[in-house]
mmCIF file of all heavy atoms in Angstrom:
data_model
loop_
_atom_site.group_PDB
_atom_site.id
_atom_site.type_symbol
_atom_site.label_atom_id
_atom_site.label_comp_id
_atom_site.label_asym_id
_atom_site.label_seq_id
_atom_site.Cartn_x
_atom_site.Cartn_y
_atom_site.Cartn_z
ATOM 1 N N ALA C 1 3.237 -12.619 -2.827
ATOM 2 C CA ALA C 1 1.967 -12.228 -3.396
ATOM 3 C C ALA C 1 1.081 -11.494 -2.389
ATOM 4 O O ALA C 1 0.447 -10.503 -2.755
ATOM 5 C CB ALA C 1 1.258 -13.461 -3.947
ATOM 6 N N LEU C 2 1.033 -11.949 -1.170
ATOM 7 C CA LEU C 2 0.281 -11.239 -0.136
ATOM 8 C C LEU C 2 0.757 -9.825 0.102
ATOM 9 O O LEU C 2 0.035 -8.883 0.122
ATOM 10 C CB LEU C 2 0.311 -12.048 1.168
ATOM 11 C CG LEU C 2 -0.594 -13.233 1.299
ATOM 12 C CD1 LEU C 2 -0.211 -14.034 2.569
ATOM 13 C CD2 LEU C 2 -2.047 -12.769 1.380
ATOM 14 N N HIS C 3 2.112 -9.729 0.238
ATOM 15 C CA HIS C 3 2.679 -8.478 0.577
ATOM 16 C C HIS C 3 2.658 -7.479 -0.598
ATOM 17 O O HIS C 3 2.460 -6.251 -0.434
ATOM 18 C CB HIS C 3 4.130 -8.644 1.065
ATOM 19 C CG HIS C 3 4.644 -7.435 1.784
ATOM 20 N ND1 HIS C 3 5.322 -6.442 1.223
ATOM 21 C CD2 HIS C 3 4.494 -7.096 3.087
ATOM 22 C CE1 HIS C 3 5.621 -5.539 2.105
ATOM 23 N NE2 HIS C 3 5.134 -5.884 3.256
ATOM 24 N N ALA C 4 2.812 -8.008 -1.814
ATOM 25 C CA ALA C 4 2.868 -7.122 -2.974
ATOM 26 C C ALA C 4 1.476 -6.713 -3.457
ATOM 27 O O ALA C 4 1.400 -5.758 -4.279
ATOM 28 C CB ALA C 4 3.606 -7.841 -4.134
ATOM 29 N N ASP C 5 0.438 -7.327 -2.966
ATOM 30 C CA ASP C 5 -0.928 -6.925 -3.321
ATOM 31 C C ASP C 5 -1.411 -5.843 -2.394
ATOM 32 O O ASP C 5 -2.173 -6.124 -1.461
ATOM 33 C CB ASP C 5 -1.837 -8.155 -3.313
ATOM 34 C CG ASP C 5 -3.263 -7.859 -3.751
ATOM 35 O OD1 ASP C 5 -3.532 -6.683 -4.214
ATOM 36 O OD2 ASP C 5 -4.122 -8.776 -3.696
ATOM 37 N N VAL C 6 -0.945 -4.633 -2.632
ATOM 38 C CA VAL C 6 -1.216 -3.528 -1.740
ATOM 39 C C VAL C 6 -2.695 -3.355 -1.500
ATOM 40 O O VAL C 6 -3.168 -3.082 -0.385
ATOM 41 C CB VAL C 6 -0.658 -2.207 -2.367
ATOM 42 C CG1 VAL C 6 -1.005 -0.974 -1.557
ATOM 43 C CG2 VAL C 6 0.913 -2.310 -2.434
ATOM 44 N N ASP C 7 -3.512 -3.498 -2.559
ATOM 45 C CA ASP C 7 -4.951 -3.272 -2.450
ATOM 46 C C ASP C 7 -5.631 -4.221 -1.449
ATOM 47 O O ASP C 7 -6.724 -3.945 -0.992
ATOM 48 C CB ASP C 7 -5.628 -3.418 -3.828
ATOM 49 C CG ASP C 7 -5.256 -2.271 -4.769
ATOM 50 O OD1 ASP C 7 -4.479 -1.385 -4.401
ATOM 51 O OD2 ASP C 7 -5.653 -2.329 -5.950
ATOM 52 N N SER C 8 -4.996 -5.339 -1.108
ATOM 53 C CA SER C 8 -5.609 -6.307 -0.186
ATOM 54 C C SER C 8 -5.034 -6.215 1.215
ATOM 55 O O SER C 8 -5.430 -7.015 2.112
ATOM 56 C CB SER C 8 -5.449 -7.761 -0.719
ATOM 57 O OG SER C 8 -4.117 -8.187 -0.599
ATOM 58 N N TRP C 9 -4.156 -5.290 1.472
ATOM 59 C CA TRP C 9 -3.572 -5.225 2.816
ATOM 60 C C TRP C 9 -4.561 -5.204 3.942
ATOM 61 O O TRP C 9 -4.433 -5.846 4.946
ATOM 62 C CB TRP C 9 -2.630 -3.990 2.967
ATOM 63 C CG TRP C 9 -1.296 -4.126 2.254
ATOM 64 C CD1 TRP C 9 -0.764 -5.205 1.682
ATOM 65 C CD2 TRP C 9 -0.360 -3.081 2.121
ATOM 66 N NE1 TRP C 9 0.456 -4.934 1.100
ATOM 67 C CE2 TRP C 9 0.720 -3.611 1.399
ATOM 68 C CE3 TRP C 9 -0.323 -1.739 2.519
ATOM 69 C CZ2 TRP C 9 1.848 -2.859 1.070
ATOM 70 C CZ3 TRP C 9 0.778 -0.978 2.215
ATOM 71 C CH2 TRP C 9 1.880 -1.545 1.487
ATOM 72 N N ALA C 10 -5.630 -4.402 3.766
ATOM 73 C CA ALA C 10 -6.642 -4.262 4.802
ATOM 74 C C ALA C 10 -7.372 -5.553 5.123
ATOM 75 O O ALA C 10 -7.980 -5.689 6.196
ATOM 76 C CB ALA C 10 -7.630 -3.137 4.427
ATOM 77 N N GLU C 11 -7.342 -6.493 4.199
ATOM 78 C CA GLU C 11 -7.993 -7.772 4.430
ATOM 79 C C GLU C 11 -7.272 -8.622 5.447
ATOM 80 O O GLU C 11 -7.897 -9.474 6.137
ATOM 81 C CB GLU C 11 -8.105 -8.575 3.088
ATOM 82 C CG GLU C 11 -8.989 -7.912 2.073
ATOM 83 C CD GLU C 11 -8.912 -8.592 0.737
ATOM 84 O OE1 GLU C 11 -8.403 -9.749 0.657
ATOM 85 O OE2 GLU C 11 -9.367 -7.995 -0.259
ATOM 86 N N TRP C 12 -5.939 -8.462 5.586
ATOM 87 C CA TRP C 12 -5.243 -9.313 6.498
ATOM 88 C C TRP C 12 -4.403 -8.559 7.521
ATOM 89 O O TRP C 12 -3.929 -9.167 8.504
ATOM 90 C CB TRP C 12 -4.302 -10.273 5.745
ATOM 91 C CG TRP C 12 -3.345 -9.672 4.792
ATOM 92 C CD1 TRP C 12 -3.501 -9.471 3.463
ATOM 93 C CD2 TRP C 12 -2.032 -9.108 5.096
ATOM 94 N NE1 TRP C 12 -2.416 -8.841 2.929
ATOM 95 C CE2 TRP C 12 -1.489 -8.640 3.861
ATOM 96 C CE3 TRP C 12 -1.276 -9.021 6.276
ATOM 97 C CZ2 TRP C 12 -0.221 -8.090 3.836
ATOM 98 C CZ3 TRP C 12 -0.009 -8.448 6.211
ATOM 99 C CH2 TRP C 12 0.494 -8.004 4.972
ATOM 100 N N ASN C 13 -4.311 -7.238 7.408
ATOM 101 C CA ASN C 13 -3.550 -6.432 8.371
ATOM 102 C C ASN C 13 -4.492 -5.486 9.071
ATOM 103 O O ASN C 13 -4.938 -4.508 8.485
ATOM 104 C CB ASN C 13 -2.413 -5.645 7.650
ATOM 105 C CG ASN C 13 -1.523 -4.971 8.600
ATOM 106 O OD1 ASN C 13 -1.865 -4.693 9.742
ATOM 107 N ND2 ASN C 13 -0.332 -4.634 8.139
ATOM 108 N N ALA C 14 -4.835 -5.788 10.313
ATOM 109 C CA ALA C 14 -5.823 -5.017 11.091
ATOM 110 C C ALA C 14 -5.435 -3.546 11.248
ATOM 111 O O ALA C 14 -6.284 -2.716 11.475
ATOM 112 C CB ALA C 14 -6.074 -5.653 12.382
ATOM 113 N N ASP C 15 -4.129 -3.264 11.168
ATOM 114 C CA ASP C 15 -3.689 -1.857 11.252
ATOM 115 C C ASP C 15 -3.845 -1.022 10.009
ATOM 116 O O ASP C 15 -3.643 0.177 10.106
ATOM 117 C CB ASP C 15 -2.177 -1.830 11.699
ATOM 118 C CG ASP C 15 -1.957 -2.260 13.146
ATOM 119 O OD1 ASP C 15 -2.934 -2.347 13.868
ATOM 120 O OD2 ASP C 15 -0.810 -2.527 13.477
ATOM 121 N N VAL C 16 -4.177 -1.632 8.927
ATOM 122 C CA VAL C 16 -4.382 -0.917 7.654
ATOM 123 C C VAL C 16 -5.865 -0.835 7.397
ATOM 124 O O VAL C 16 -6.578 -1.847 7.256
ATOM 125 C CB VAL C 16 -3.671 -1.620 6.473
ATOM 126 C CG1 VAL C 16 -3.982 -0.898 5.198
ATOM 127 C CG2 VAL C 16 -2.167 -1.641 6.733
ATOM 128 N N ASP C 17 -6.392 0.404 7.394
ATOM 129 C CA ASP C 17 -7.812 0.621 7.163
ATOM 130 C C ASP C 17 -8.175 0.525 5.667
ATOM 131 O O ASP C 17 -9.246 0.008 5.340
ATOM 132 C CB ASP C 17 -8.259 1.988 7.695
ATOM 133 C CG ASP C 17 -8.024 2.107 9.188
ATOM 134 O OD1 ASP C 17 -8.348 1.099 9.933
ATOM 135 O OD2 ASP C 17 -7.509 3.111 9.619
ATOM 136 N N GLU C 18 -7.329 0.994 4.835
ATOM 137 C CA GLU C 18 -7.519 0.829 3.376
ATOM 138 C C GLU C 18 -6.201 1.119 2.684
ATOM 139 O O GLU C 18 -5.309 1.806 3.256
ATOM 140 C CB GLU C 18 -8.626 1.772 2.844
ATOM 141 C CG GLU C 18 -8.341 3.229 3.042
ATOM 142 C CD GLU C 18 -9.574 4.101 2.533
ATOM 143 O OE1 GLU C 18 -10.577 4.058 3.192
ATOM 144 O OE2 GLU C 18 -9.358 4.791 1.543
ATOM 145 N N ALA C 19 -6.024 0.592 1.464
ATOM 146 C CA ALA C 19 -4.824 0.819 0.689
ATOM 147 C C ALA C 19 -5.209 0.676 -0.823
ATOM 148 O O ALA C 19 -5.945 -0.195 -1.183
ATOM 149 C CB ALA C 19 -3.771 -0.216 1.063
ATOM 150 N N LYS C 20 -4.658 1.558 -1.593
ATOM 151 C CA LYS C 20 -4.938 1.543 -3.051
ATOM 152 C C LYS C 20 -3.703 1.942 -3.826
ATOM 153 O O LYS C 20 -3.160 3.031 -3.654
ATOM 154 C CB LYS C 20 -6.089 2.528 -3.351
ATOM 155 C CG LYS C 20 -6.434 2.557 -4.819
ATOM 156 C CD LYS C 20 -7.042 1.243 -5.282
ATOM 157 C CE LYS C 20 -7.487 1.377 -6.761
ATOM 158 N NZ LYS C 20 -7.470 0.077 -7.433
ATOM 159 N N LEU C 21 -3.244 1.031 -4.632
ATOM 160 C CA LEU C 21 -2.026 1.232 -5.506
ATOM 161 C C LEU C 21 -2.505 1.909 -6.819
ATOM 162 O O LEU C 21 -3.504 1.491 -7.418
ATOM 163 C CB LEU C 21 -1.355 -0.075 -5.791
ATOM 164 C CG LEU C 21 -0.140 -0.056 -6.697
ATOM 165 C CD1 LEU C 21 1.015 0.767 -6.114
ATOM 166 C CD2 LEU C 21 0.329 -1.492 -6.930
ATOM 167 N N ASP C 22 -1.801 2.985 -7.199
ATOM 168 C CA ASP C 22 -2.104 3.686 -8.453
ATOM 169 C C ASP C 22 -1.271 2.981 -9.570
ATOM 170 O O ASP C 22 -0.123 3.393 -9.783
ATOM 171 C CB ASP C 22 -1.770 5.162 -8.360
ATOM 172 C CG ASP C 22 -2.562 5.880 -7.289
ATOM 173 O OD1 ASP C 22 -3.714 5.490 -7.098
ATOM 174 O OD2 ASP C 22 -2.039 6.835 -6.659
ATOM 175 N N GLY C 23 -1.862 2.045 -10.247
ATOM 176 C CA GLY C 23 -1.145 1.336 -11.287
ATOM 177 C C GLY C 23 -0.466 0.108 -10.805
ATOM 178 O O GLY C 23 -0.715 -0.369 -9.719
ATOM 179 N N PRO C 24 0.426 -0.468 -11.587
ATOM 180 C CA PRO C 24 1.200 -1.624 -11.170
ATOM 181 C C PRO C 24 2.220 -1.334 -10.134
ATOM 182 O O PRO C 24 2.573 -0.161 -9.963
ATOM 183 C CB PRO C 24 1.793 -2.138 -12.501
ATOM 184 C CG PRO C 24 1.896 -0.941 -13.372
ATOM 185 C CD PRO C 24 0.763 -0.066 -12.960
ATOM 186 N N LEU C 25 2.696 -2.367 -9.439
ATOM 187 C CA LEU C 25 3.725 -2.222 -8.397
ATOM 188 C C LEU C 25 5.054 -2.041 -9.115
ATOM 189 O O LEU C 25 5.836 -2.981 -9.313
ATOM 190 C CB LEU C 25 3.685 -3.458 -7.493
ATOM 191 C CG LEU C 25 4.610 -3.344 -6.272
ATOM 192 C CD1 LEU C 25 4.191 -2.205 -5.365
ATOM 193 C CD2 LEU C 25 4.609 -4.681 -5.527
ATOM 194 N N LEU C 26 5.323 -0.798 -9.477
ATOM 195 C CA LEU C 26 6.594 -0.469 -10.159
ATOM 196 C C LEU C 26 7.207 0.793 -9.583
ATOM 197 O O LEU C 26 6.439 1.668 -9.057
ATOM 198 C CB LEU C 26 6.308 -0.233 -11.636
ATOM 199 C CG LEU C 26 5.858 -1.466 -12.465
ATOM 200 C CD1 LEU C 26 5.456 -1.011 -13.875
ATOM 201 C CD2 LEU C 26 6.986 -2.475 -12.523
ATOM 202 N N PRO C 27 8.476 0.992 -9.634
ATOM 203 C CA PRO C 27 9.113 2.181 -9.143
ATOM 204 C C PRO C 27 8.518 3.413 -9.794
ATOM 205 O O PRO C 27 8.229 3.440 -10.980
ATOM 206 C CB PRO C 27 10.587 2.034 -9.567
ATOM 207 C CG PRO C 27 10.815 0.562 -9.561
ATOM 208 C CD PRO C 27 9.488 0.016 -10.127
ATOM 209 N N GLY C 28 8.260 4.429 -8.978
ATOM 210 C CA GLY C 28 7.672 5.676 -9.407
ATOM 211 C C GLY C 28 6.170 5.725 -9.178
ATOM 212 O O GLY C 28 5.585 6.817 -9.102
ATOM 213 N N ASN C 29 5.526 4.585 -9.097
ATOM 214 C CA ASN C 29 4.071 4.593 -8.798
ATOM 215 C C ASN C 29 3.858 4.749 -7.295
ATOM 216 O O ASN C 29 4.685 4.418 -6.490
ATOM 217 C CB ASN C 29 3.414 3.311 -9.256
ATOM 218 C CG ASN C 29 3.263 3.293 -10.813
ATOM 219 O OD1 ASN C 29 3.435 4.317 -11.436
ATOM 220 N ND2 ASN C 29 2.981 2.160 -11.364
ATOM 221 N N SER C 30 2.690 5.278 -6.950
ATOM 222 C CA SER C 30 2.369 5.539 -5.563
ATOM 223 C C SER C 30 1.196 4.722 -5.090
ATOM 224 O O SER C 30 0.400 4.222 -5.902
ATOM 225 C CB SER C 30 2.074 7.051 -5.375
ATOM 226 O OG SER C 30 3.186 7.828 -5.622
ATOM 227 N N PHE C 31 1.052 4.619 -3.779
ATOM 228 C CA PHE C 31 -0.114 4.041 -3.208
ATOM 229 C C PHE C 31 -0.551 4.931 -2.036
ATOM 230 O O PHE C 31 0.227 5.501 -1.330
ATOM 231 C CB PHE C 31 0.006 2.581 -2.816
ATOM 232 C CG PHE C 31 1.133 2.275 -1.873
ATOM 233 C CD1 PHE C 31 0.960 2.238 -0.536
ATOM 234 C CD2 PHE C 31 2.409 2.000 -2.370
ATOM 235 C CE1 PHE C 31 1.957 1.909 0.354
ATOM 236 C CE2 PHE C 31 3.475 1.663 -1.498
ATOM 237 C CZ PHE C 31 3.211 1.643 -0.162
ATOM 238 N N ARG C 32 -1.888 5.003 -1.905
ATOM 239 C CA ARG C 32 -2.483 5.760 -0.772
ATOM 240 C C ARG C 32 -3.014 4.721 0.185
ATOM 241 O O ARG C 32 -3.666 3.758 -0.174
ATOM 242 C CB ARG C 32 -3.562 6.644 -1.265
ATOM 243 C CG ARG C 32 -3.091 7.794 -2.146
ATOM 244 C CD ARG C 32 -4.232 8.692 -2.651
ATOM 245 N NE ARG C 32 -5.276 7.957 -3.313
ATOM 246 C CZ ARG C 32 -5.274 7.503 -4.566
ATOM 247 N NH1 ARG C 32 -4.218 7.688 -5.305
ATOM 248 N NH2 ARG C 32 -6.303 6.838 -5.052
ATOM 249 N N TRP C 33 -2.743 4.979 1.497
ATOM 250 C CA TRP C 33 -3.228 4.085 2.502
ATOM 251 C C TRP C 33 -3.516 4.791 3.784
ATOM 252 O O TRP C 33 -3.008 5.925 4.056
ATOM 253 C CB TRP C 33 -2.267 2.894 2.669
ATOM 254 C CG TRP C 33 -0.838 3.203 2.967
ATOM 255 C CD1 TRP C 33 0.032 4.026 2.268
ATOM 256 C CD2 TRP C 33 -0.038 2.704 4.026
ATOM 257 N NE1 TRP C 33 1.273 3.974 2.820
ATOM 258 C CE2 TRP C 33 1.251 3.159 3.925
ATOM 259 C CE3 TRP C 33 -0.320 1.818 5.082
ATOM 260 C CZ2 TRP C 33 2.274 2.865 4.769
ATOM 261 C CZ3 TRP C 33 0.673 1.489 5.947
ATOM 262 C CH2 TRP C 33 1.972 2.014 5.805
ATOM 263 N N LYS C 34 -4.358 4.180 4.608
ATOM 264 C CA LYS C 34 -4.714 4.739 5.895
ATOM 265 C C LYS C 34 -4.350 3.753 6.972
ATOM 266 O O LYS C 34 -4.700 2.564 6.902
ATOM 267 C CB LYS C 34 -6.199 4.992 5.969
ATOM 268 C CG LYS C 34 -6.649 6.111 5.017
ATOM 269 C CD LYS C 34 -8.099 6.416 5.139
ATOM 270 C CE LYS C 34 -8.489 7.480 4.149
ATOM 271 N NZ LYS C 34 -9.891 7.887 4.242
ATOM 272 N N THR C 35 -3.587 4.246 7.962
ATOM 273 C CA THR C 35 -3.187 3.372 9.095
ATOM 274 C C THR C 35 -3.001 4.234 10.339
ATOM 275 O O THR C 35 -2.524 5.375 10.238
ATOM 276 C CB THR C 35 -1.849 2.646 8.761
ATOM 277 O OG1 THR C 35 -1.510 1.808 9.881
ATOM 278 C CG2 THR C 35 -0.678 3.596 8.461
ATOM 279 N N HIS C 36 -3.459 3.766 11.426
ATOM 280 C CA HIS C 36 -3.308 4.489 12.715
ATOM 281 C C HIS C 36 -3.835 5.907 12.616
ATOM 282 O O HIS C 36 -3.258 6.817 13.183
ATOM 283 C CB HIS C 36 -1.883 4.458 13.193
ATOM 284 C CG HIS C 36 -1.368 3.067 13.440
ATOM 285 N ND1 HIS C 36 -1.749 2.281 14.536
ATOM 286 C CD2 HIS C 36 -0.540 2.306 12.697
ATOM 287 C CE1 HIS C 36 -1.145 1.117 14.433
ATOM 288 N NE2 HIS C 36 -0.360 1.086 13.337
ATOM 289 N N GLY C 37 -4.882 6.138 11.893
ATOM 290 C CA GLY C 37 -5.508 7.438 11.728
ATOM 291 C C GLY C 37 -4.777 8.364 10.782
ATOM 292 O O GLY C 37 -5.130 9.547 10.682
ATOM 293 N N LEU C 38 -3.744 7.900 10.086
ATOM 294 C CA LEU C 38 -2.990 8.750 9.181
ATOM 295 C C LEU C 38 -3.301 8.375 7.728
ATOM 296 O O LEU C 38 -3.476 7.215 7.375
ATOM 297 C CB LEU C 38 -1.509 8.503 9.349
ATOM 298 C CG LEU C 38 -0.933 8.807 10.726
ATOM 299 C CD1 LEU C 38 0.530 8.397 10.800
ATOM 300 C CD2 LEU C 38 -1.076 10.294 11.082
ATOM 301 N N ASP C 39 -3.453 9.424 6.876
ATOM 302 C CA ASP C 39 -3.573 9.244 5.460
ATOM 303 C C ASP C 39 -2.187 9.386 4.868
ATOM 304 O O ASP C 39 -1.580 10.490 4.972
ATOM 305 C CB ASP C 39 -4.517 10.288 4.850
ATOM 306 C CG ASP C 39 -5.966 10.070 5.249
ATOM 307 O OD1 ASP C 39 -6.381 8.923 5.360
ATOM 308 O OD2 ASP C 39 -6.678 11.065 5.487
ATOM 309 N N ILE C 40 -1.693 8.359 4.211
ATOM 310 C CA ILE C 40 -0.326 8.367 3.713
ATOM 311 C C ILE C 40 -0.302 8.072 2.255
ATOM 312 O O ILE C 40 -1.066 7.238 1.748
ATOM 313 C CB ILE C 40 0.517 7.255 4.478
ATOM 314 C CG1 ILE C 40 0.470 7.499 5.974
ATOM 315 C CG2 ILE C 40 1.914 7.167 3.945
ATOM 316 C CD1 ILE C 40 1.063 6.341 6.814
ATOM 317 N N THR C 41 0.577 8.799 1.534
ATOM 318 C CA THR C 41 0.920 8.434 0.195
ATOM 319 C C THR C 41 2.366 8.044 0.122
ATOM 320 O O THR C 41 3.206 8.799 0.539
ATOM 321 C CB THR C 41 0.676 9.647 -0.806
ATOM 322 O OG1 THR C 41 -0.718 10.003 -0.721
ATOM 323 C CG2 THR C 41 1.040 9.265 -2.207
ATOM 324 N N SER C 42 2.637 6.824 -0.298
ATOM 325 C CA SER C 42 3.966 6.292 -0.364
ATOM 326 C C SER C 42 4.268 6.115 -1.853
ATOM 327 O O SER C 42 3.430 5.691 -2.643
ATOM 328 C CB SER C 42 4.125 4.982 0.353
ATOM 329 O OG SER C 42 3.911 5.186 1.746
ATOM 330 N N THR C 43 5.542 6.305 -2.193
ATOM 331 C CA THR C 43 6.001 6.108 -3.570
ATOM 332 C C THR C 43 6.931 4.902 -3.619
ATOM 333 O O THR C 43 7.875 4.792 -2.800
ATOM 334 C CB THR C 43 6.754 7.355 -4.111
ATOM 335 O OG1 THR C 43 5.828 8.437 -4.088
ATOM 336 C CG2 THR C 43 7.190 7.146 -5.544
ATOM 337 N N VAL C 44 6.678 3.996 -4.529
ATOM 338 C CA VAL C 44 7.504 2.794 -4.685
ATOM 339 C C VAL C 44 8.849 3.253 -5.303
ATOM 340 O O VAL C 44 8.899 3.959 -6.304
ATOM 341 C CB VAL C 44 6.842 1.774 -5.595
ATOM 342 C CG1 VAL C 44 7.720 0.552 -5.819
ATOM 343 C CG2 VAL C 44 5.454 1.387 -5.061
ATOM 344 N N GLN C 45 9.942 2.898 -4.677
ATOM 345 C CA GLN C 45 11.254 3.267 -5.114
ATOM 346 C C GLN C 45 12.002 2.130 -5.790
ATOM 347 O O GLN C 45 12.831 2.371 -6.690
ATOM 348 C CB GLN C 45 12.091 3.801 -3.916
ATOM 349 C CG GLN C 45 11.470 5.033 -3.324
ATOM 350 C CD GLN C 45 12.173 5.462 -1.999
ATOM 351 O OE1 GLN C 45 12.774 4.644 -1.310
ATOM 352 N NE2 GLN C 45 12.065 6.720 -1.714
ATOM 353 N N GLU C 46 11.760 0.874 -5.387
ATOM 354 C CA GLU C 46 12.449 -0.255 -5.917
ATOM 355 C C GLU C 46 11.572 -1.494 -5.759
ATOM 356 O O GLU C 46 10.934 -1.698 -4.749
ATOM 357 C CB GLU C 46 13.771 -0.452 -5.155
ATOM 358 C CG GLU C 46 14.625 -1.552 -5.651
ATOM 359 C CD GLU C 46 15.892 -1.709 -4.777
ATOM 360 O OE1 GLU C 46 16.215 -0.789 -4.002
ATOM 361 O OE2 GLU C 46 16.547 -2.702 -4.951
ATOM 362 N N VAL C 47 11.603 -2.330 -6.762
ATOM 363 C CA VAL C 47 10.917 -3.672 -6.656
ATOM 364 C C VAL C 47 11.787 -4.703 -7.362
ATOM 365 O O VAL C 47 12.169 -4.549 -8.525
ATOM 366 C CB VAL C 47 9.538 -3.625 -7.384
ATOM 367 C CG1 VAL C 47 8.928 -5.018 -7.372
ATOM 368 C CG2 VAL C 47 8.624 -2.602 -6.805
ATOM 369 N N VAL C 48 12.115 -5.712 -6.606
ATOM 370 C CA VAL C 48 12.764 -6.934 -7.145
ATOM 371 C C VAL C 48 11.770 -8.034 -6.840
ATOM 372 O O VAL C 48 11.718 -8.469 -5.670
ATOM 373 C CB VAL C 48 14.129 -7.169 -6.499
ATOM 374 C CG1 VAL C 48 14.766 -8.481 -7.053
ATOM 375 C CG2 VAL C 48 15.058 -5.975 -6.648
#
């Protein structure tokens, strides 16, 4: 639950400045996050 709640990463991971999942945690959906000064968009490929 902690790891899959992308929107809360910044609350417990000091290296993540912010994170926002676009929709549910499902393949094909993306999340935008900032870490180590980088703006990253990652796409979920698989969830079990």
Side-chain angles (χ1 to χ4, degrees):
L2 281 169
H3 198 267
D5 184 3
V6 173
D7 292 357
S8 74
W9 285 353
E11 296 173 15
W12 55 266
N13 187 339
D15 286 347
V16 176
D17 299 316
E18 62 183 68
K20 179 67 178 153
L21 178 62
D22 297 328
L25 187 63
L26 294 172
N29 286 346
S30 296
F31 56 93
R32 292 180 308 281
W33 54 305
K34 293 182 182 183
T35 183
H36 300 287
L38 300 174
D39 291 323
I40 302 171
T41 299
S42 295
T43 300
V44 178
Q45 298 172 334
E46 181 182 349
V47 177
V48 179

